[in-house]
Every structure is written in structure tokens, then in C-alpha cells.
Amino acid sequence: MSNCFTPSYSIFTHSVGYHTASHSLLTKLNSIASAGINGVEIFTDDLYHFSQSAEFASILASKQVSALLTPPDSPLSQHAALRSSSKTATAQNKYYGAFGECTNAEAQLEIAAAEHIKTYCDHLGLEIVCLQPLRDVEGWVSTSDRANAMERVKSRFPIMQALNTNLLLICSNNTPAPATTGDHSSLVCDLTQISDMAFSFTQSTGHPIRVGFEALSWGSHIDLWAQAWSVVKATNRVNIGLILDSFNTLAREFADPCSSTAIQEPSTITRSNLALSFKKIVAQVPGDKIFLLQIGDAKKLNKALQPSPREGEPRPSRMIWSRSSRLFPCEKERGAFMPVEDFVKAVCDAGYTGPWSIEVFNDSLSNSSSEVPILHARRARAGLDKLVEAVYH
């Protein structure tokens, strides 16, 4: 293929360990760096849990560490005040985090934790590629739900500044109608407001903010990359772009976890339509509007899932499959079966030159063994090396 380049590697921190008690964020960052991966996507939940952990409380309690890592006006140097923050203050002013309203202490602790993680990543030689995900943002029908979503978005900007990353990933809303809408003009309006908020933050702080929109394969209204691109293109803002994810694209356009073959039937038509979709990526999406490439494969299930959501199972079938069975690229020996290499070729042919970032969820990540993070980080590195070979040679 043309436009050959040597990509940098990145990985989502959740993709090397789920078990919060055994796989701390610092442990996972150490494992990622040890495996020779030089970039990370910080999982919002990982950062929040770290900010609330005994491990971080110990760091805050150490005056020596606080003085070494932070300036006097940093939240890290204000830990005593943070821990004594009263609920009276939060009654007068609302504070927000990624999940909704929170206390002022929680908000400030998260910023302090982000500052520490930034310094820690600098020490390890890790670039923080993005903060992700922010869920269920676009398309809310009620004024209060929409306002809450916008406050959650704004809450991420100081965290991003503390992490020294400029990219926020928003995945398509999984909340169904009638609470949400897929109306195109409404979604464009939402992303336009987010763009304005990001520009305002940049003007006031000097820290650039970009927002990438990703189509989840089980999104309630947006579940195809072309739909997400249509909204991004119509928004027409330099700080709003597209996230392309191999799993979510192929899970929606190629695979079917409810089929005995795991492929949408008839497979000949599926493969033909997929090839056309890849051609459209190359022809329609400028490389500089692809803000991040995420990579993951998956295995076929031993038993096909029943279609859902349904009574007794509110989760979409593709979500169930996604959370349990993703694999690192090129792991054919473990059952990987989707055409990830062809997808990555298409994205690169479109002109993308950013990091190749792993995003994998698998039941194996919930194992409490202390070896899980390093073993999965090594698998990720090996898969990326094989993928580069497959794409460029």
C-alpha cells in the first residue's frame, strides 16, 4: 500500500486489566511501558477510581511527593482543604464529573490525580493520547438531560489539561428513544455546542481541545462509522473529528454474534458491502479528520447469542460480545476472525498518520492475578507488530 509510515503504538488502560483491587492504574501504566508501547488512552473510570483510592490518598499525604511533583497552587498541594470540603459549598455551586453531579472535593481530587498521572507517564515515557470515554452525550430530548450532558463534557476539559492531552473521545449514545433522538440536525447542534465550549476553554487557558466522535456498534441511533462521519462533517469544526474503531466497525458491518457462523449472512453480500465501506473511508474521510484509530479483533462464540435487547436482557447482543470476547490484532490462534488488516489499510490509505491504539475488552482481564497487566500488554505489543507487518508488507 502507499503512504507507508511507522506508526506509534498506544493502548487503552482498561485493556490490560479490569480488576480494580489488583490492577491499579499505576501498575497498568508500568506494564504498558515495559511492553514497549509508548502511548496510552486513559480510561475515565480508571482515573476516577485512582483518585478515590488509598494508593492516591497515601500520595497526597506525603508532603515530600507533593512538593516534588507539583507547584504550590496545584490541587495536589491542597489535599487537606480538599478532604475538609463541606457539602454546604456544593449546595451553592454544582460540580460535575464524567458521570454527572459530584462534590467539589471529588472534582478537585480527580484533577489532582490527573496531574499525578501526567507526571508518572512523563517518567515512563508514555504519551497520553486521549481521555475516554464520555458516554451518552448527544441526542438528549429533554432540556435538563441535555444540559447535564454538556456539563459532563465541560468537566473533562480541566482533566485533559492536567493530563496534558488534547483529545476527548465521545462514543455514540446507547440510551434509546424516546429519551434520545437520532435527528441529524439535533446531533449537529450538540457537537457544535461542544465545539464552542472547547474553543472557549482553549481561549481562556491556552490548552487545545479536540473531540472525537465514535459510532458504537450497538449505539441507539448512531451505529455506523458513516453516520458518525455525517454528523462530524456537517458540524464542520476543526476541533471535532471522527474516531474509527476496527471492532465497532466490523462488529456492525461484518460480524453477527447471534449467527452460528458469527458472520452476517449471506456472507458474500456482507463481504462485498464491507469492501465498499472501506472504499468510502478512503474516498470520503480526510486523514486529518480521523482523530484516532482504535484496533481490536474478536473471537467467535462457542454458542451464538440470542438477539437482544429483549425481556430479561436489556443489553444489546453486540455489547455483550464486545465486553467478553475482543482480542488483540492478529491473534488467529485465539480465534480472531475479522478482517482487521483490511480495515486498518483503508484508514491509512485515507491519510491517517496518528497512533495505532489498542482497545480490547475480554473476560480474561477480570482475572485478579498480578500477571494480567503485563501479559496483556505484551500480547498487545506482539499483535501490533504483526499488524504492521501485515499492513505494510
Side-chain angles (χ1 to χ4, degrees), residues 10-12 15 41 129-133 167 169-171 212-216 242-250 290-297 326 329 340 343-344 347 352 355-361 384 387:
S10 173
I11 189 169
F12 183 40
S15 295
E41 299 178 53
V129 171
C130 82
L131 175 66
Q132 73 113 331
L167 181 59
L169 183 155
I170 293 178
C171 54
F213 187 42
E214 176 191 9
L216 287 179
L242 184 66
I243 306 289
L244 287 175
D245 179 290
S246 66
F247 175 85
N248 279 310
T249 298
L250 297 173
I290 303 172
F291 282 3
L292 187 63
L293 165 63
Q294 294 181 309
I295 299 169
D297 206 320
R326 292 200 203 187
V340 172
F343 173 81
V344 172
V347 174
Y352 177 77
W356 291 17
S357 194
I358 294 288
E359 186 186 61
V360 162
F361 303 86
L384 285 167
L387 185 61

Side-chain angles (χ1 to χ4, degrees), residues 124-166:
L124 293 173
L126 293 172
E127 176 189 1
I128 300 177
V129 171
C130 82
L131 175 66
Q132 73 113 331
L134 196 60
R135 307 177 181 93
D136 298 332
V137 170
E138 83 292 350
W140 289 103
V141 172
S142 82
T143 301
S144 60
D145 284 341
R146 187 176 187 275
N148 180 277
M150 293 302 161
E151 290 295 336
R152 290 191 293 115
V153 172
K154 283 196 291 186
S155 79
R156 299 301 84 198
F157 299 162
I159 303 299
M160 294 168 68
Q161 183 179 26
L163 289 170
N164 193 32
T165 188
N166 65 19

Side-chain angles (χ1 to χ4, degrees), residues 287-306:
D288 62 357
K289 293 302 290 183
I290 303 172
F291 282 3
L292 187 63
L293 165 63
Q294 294 181 309
I295 299 169
D297 206 320
K299 64 180 179 181
K300 297 180 181 180
L301 299 174
N302 293 329
K303 182 180 179 181
L305 297 175
Q306 295 183 44

Side-chain angles (χ1 to χ4, degrees), residues 67-382:
L68 177 65
L69 296 181
T70 63
D73 61 348
S74 165
L76 271 176
S77 65
Q78 302 169 20
H79 55 277
L82 292 177
R83 295 203 174 280
S84 63
S85 295
S86 68
K87 291 187 177 181
T88 304
T90 61
Q92 297 171 353
N93 303 287
K94 288 186 177 181
Y95 300 94
Y96 287 84
F99 314 111
E101 285 190 46
C102 65
T103 66
N104 181 36
E106 286 176 318
Q108 293 301 314
L109 277 170
E110 190 178 17
I111 293 174
E115 287 189 348
H116 184 75
I117 292 301
K118 186 267 181 189
T119 301
Y120 201 83
C121 285
D122 285 348
H123 175 72
L124 293 173
L126 293 172
E127 176 189 1
I128 300 177
V129 171
C130 82
L131 175 66
Q132 73 113 331
L134 196 60
R135 307 177 181 93
D136 298 332
V137 170
E138 83 292 350
W140 289 103
V141 172
S142 82
T143 301
S144 60
D145 284 341
R146 187 176 187 275
N148 180 277
M150 293 302 161
E151 290 295 336
R152 290 191 293 115
V153 172
K154 283 196 291 186
S155 79
R156 299 301 84 198
F157 299 162
I159 303 299
M160 294 168 68
Q161 183 179 26
L163 289 170
N164 193 32
T165 188
N166 65 19
L167 181 59
L168 173 67
L169 183 155
I170 293 178
C171 54
S172 59
N173 205 324
N174 185 43
T175 306
T180 62
T181 178
D183 175 70
H184 191 267
S185 61
S186 296
L187 303 188
V188 171
C189 181
D190 289 344
L191 288 192
T192 300
Q193 181 173 341
I194 290 169
S195 171
D196 289 341
M197 294 189 305
F199 273 127
S200 178
F201 184 84
T202 298
Q203 287 177 337
S204 64
T205 66
H207 185 78
I209 298 288
R210 298 182 303 151
V211 177
F213 187 42
E214 176 191 9
L216 287 179
S217 58
W218 60 89
S220 292
H221 306 287
I222 302 293
D223 61 0
L224 295 165
W225 74 261
Q227 294 170 329
W229 169 238
S230 178
V231 177
V232 168
K233 184 179 180 181
T235 303
N236 193 28
R237 295 293 184 88
V238 296
N239 60 353
I240 303 293
L242 184 66
I243 306 289
L244 287 175
D245 179 290
S246 66
F247 175 85
N248 279 310
T249 298
L250 297 173
R252 178 61 180 81
E253 299 188 41
F254 175 77
D256 181 1
C258 300
S259 166
S260 60
T261 65
I263 299 174
Q264 296 173 29
E265 300 292 346
S267 62
T268 53
I269 293 177
T270 294
R271 293 180 188 278
S272 176
N273 289 340
L274 186 64
L276 180 60
S277 178
F278 290 168
K279 289 179 180 178
K280 288 181 178 179
I281 290 175
V282 177
Q284 297 179 7
V285 186
D288 62 357
K289 293 302 290 183
I290 303 172
F291 282 3
L292 187 63
L293 165 63
Q294 294 181 309
I295 299 169
D297 206 320
K299 64 180 179 181
K300 297 180 181 180
L301 299 174
N302 293 329
K303 182 180 179 181
L305 297 175
Q306 295 183 44
S308 60
R310 63 180 189 279
E311 185 176 352
E313 179 49 82
R315 298 172 300 168
S317 53
R318 284 186 171 87
M319 176 194 283
I320 297 171
W321 182 45
S322 166
R323 298 286 168 81
S324 66
S325 304
R326 292 200 203 187
L327 293 171
F328 297 105
C330 302
E331 291 193 318
K332 309 297 184 186
E333 73 283 359
R334 294 178 183 266
F337 73 100
M338 298 198 293
V340 172
E341 296 90 341
D342 293 337
F343 173 81
V344 172
K345 287 178 184 177
V347 174
C348 292
D349 279 344
Y352 177 77
T353 58
W356 291 17
S357 194
I358 294 288
E359 186 186 61
V360 162
F361 303 86
N362 192 287
D363 287 342
S364 64
L365 292 162
S366 63
N367 188 307
S368 62
S369 169
S370 61
E371 294 297 307
V372 165
I374 187 60
L375 292 177
H376 284 79
R378 288 171 180 167
R379 281 175 55 190
R381 172 60 194 263

